[in-house]
Amino acid sequence: MATAEMITAEENALTMATKGFVIPAKPEILVNLENILAGDEVNVADVAKLISVDVGLSSLILKTINSPFYGMSTSIGDIRQAVMLLGIRVIKSVMTGALLRQSYVQKSCISMERFWDTAGDIANSMNYISDLLKERVVIDNLYTLGLFCDCGIPAFAIRYPDYRDVLVEANSSHELLVEVENRRYHSNHAIVGYYLANAWGLPKEVCHVILHHHDVHFLDKITGSPDQYYYAALKLSENIIHKNRRFQEITEWSMCKFQVYDLLGITESDALDLEEDIMDYLSHE
């Protein structure tokens, strides 16, 4: 069992590893949303009013509720109705992701648009396979984890002009990106992402998986913990998106795919069917 001293030492090490990075402050609108949600009774009208003052967020919420995933028989154009239908947790997840994307506006050595498009695809893929994880995890956390899992990458791309070379090196050598980052910068995007996720008040289990999402030994000993189910869903979603968007599997896939299948209760054939369905679903997003 971890002692207080061990926890403090780990926290200090994480703080040092994130020193000098641009960590966006938690947006005021998100703080205001959390203040509304902290009340004894959540007033849907207050949430809708908060969203309505931001045209970009309003458009995104309406796009979400009208996506094929929710299967609405008629188009929804009212923010209050959208909030009621989506639920507060989904609203918060969608808002948090959109605000994160807006927070990284500094000059970067990579295409931020491509990065966020990929993150969005992974998040939507996580949503799609949520039926495999019922009663094992908090379903609403899946989208958030998919969107935030690599949120440390923009911080590296902003801080280091040569970061694109690191991405190329990791892809060409089939080495884990975090290993190349550690060698070059003595830090990695999983640590920075964990720090940002904590600063933004994401659920602890989401933060924990972000920190360990490139740990190839995470499923060596199956315990059935929620963290392992989150990790398995993330690896499956990442691999599907990378195969179809970048034409190669994620580096750790060969080391964890059978544990992923076992945890999610699927076969390799099932996974291929899911891949086809997900890519068809994303093509209509």
Side-chain angles (χ1 to χ4, degrees):
M1 185 174 180
T3 65
E5 291 79 9
M6 290 171 60
I7 293 172
T8 300
E10 182 178 351
E11 289 175 347
N12 289 340
L14 291 174
T15 300
M16 287 300 296
T18 57
K19 197 171 183 179
F21 285 93
V22 175
I23 305 295
K26 192 174 187 177
E28 184 180 359
I29 191 170
L30 196 56
V31 174
N32 291 338
L33 175 64
E34 291 178 349
N35 289 336
I36 293 172
L37 302 184
D40 292 334
E41 291 187 16
V42 177
N43 189 321
V44 172
D46 288 342
V47 176
K49 183 179 179 181
L50 181 68
I51 294 170
S52 296
V53 301
D54 189 306
V55 175
L57 286 178
S58 298
S59 299
L60 183 60
I61 295 300
L62 293 177
K63 179 182 178 182
T64 300
I65 190 61
N66 289 308
S67 71
F69 182 78
Y70 290 97
M72 294 293 146
S73 57
T74 58
S75 180
I76 306 298
D78 179 69
I79 292 295
R80 181 169 178 170
Q81 188 179 7
V83 171
M84 292 177 66
L85 291 169
L86 287 172
I88 297 301
R89 282 182 170 177
V90 173
I91 289 292
K92 185 179 178 183
S93 293
V94 173
M95 283 181 63
T96 303
L99 291 166
L100 176 67
R101 182 170 184 162
Q102 292 172 15
S103 294
Y104 280 115
V105 295
Q106 298 91 338
K107 184 178 179 181
S108 165
C109 67
I110 65 171
S111 168
M112 287 293 195
E113 183 175 358
R114 182 187 178 196
F115 172 83
W116 290 118
D117 284 348
T118 299
D121 284 345
I122 293 171
N124 284 316
S125 177
M126 294 278 277
N127 254 354
Y128 192 91
I129 65 172
S130 60
D131 283 347
L132 300 176
L133 296 145
K134 283 181 177 177
E135 299 179 4
R136 291 169 175 162
V137 300
V138 177
I139 296 299
D140 296 331
N141 285 345
L142 292 172
Y143 181 90
T144 303
L145 175 59
L147 202 61
F148 271 77
C149 66
D150 284 325
C151 67
I153 286 179
F156 273 83
I158 290 168
R159 181 176 181 184
Y160 297 112
D162 66 342
Y163 185 64
R164 183 179 177 84
D165 297 337
V166 170
L167 295 173
V168 171
E169 180 181 344
N171 284 332
S172 60
S173 67
H174 301 292
E175 190 175 3
L176 289 173
L177 176 57
V178 290
E179 293 177 350
V180 181
E181 290 169 340
N182 284 332
R183 189 165 61 244
R184 183 81 67 97
Y185 307 121
H186 306 292
S187 184
N188 65 68
H189 74 275
I191 292 174
V192 174
Y194 169 82
Y195 192 87
L196 188 152
N198 265 315
W200 280 45
L202 266 58
K204 289 183 179 179
E205 56 270 34
V206 171
C207 296
H208 184 250
V209 177
I210 289 173
L211 180 61
H212 294 282
H213 76 283
H214 285 298
D215 180 357
V216 296
H217 301 295
F218 201 74
L219 300 182
D220 281 358
K221 183 179 180 182
I222 302 299
T223 64
S225 69
D227 286 357
Q228 289 192 327
Y229 284 107
Y230 283 122
Y231 180 97
L234 179 60
K235 291 298 108 176
L236 177 63
S237 297
E238 282 184 308
N239 193 60
I240 287 173
I241 299 306
H242 279 249
K243 273 181 64 181
N244 287 273
R245 298 292 194 234
R246 300 181 182 176
F247 309 107
Q248 63 181 31
E249 293 183 337
I250 58 173
T251 304
E252 57 265 51
W253 184 241
S254 62
M255 294 174 270
C256 71
K257 68 176 181 179
F258 293 115
Q259 292 97 319
V260 167
Y261 294 155
D262 287 345
L263 270 171
L264 299 181
I266 61 175
T267 64
E268 192 158 15
S269 177
D270 294 331
L272 291 172
D273 289 340
L274 272 172
E275 179 179 336
E276 185 176 346
D277 291 343
I278 286 170
M279 296 314 299
D280 180 62
Y281 159 64
L282 291 177
S283 70
H284 295 93
E285 274 289 289

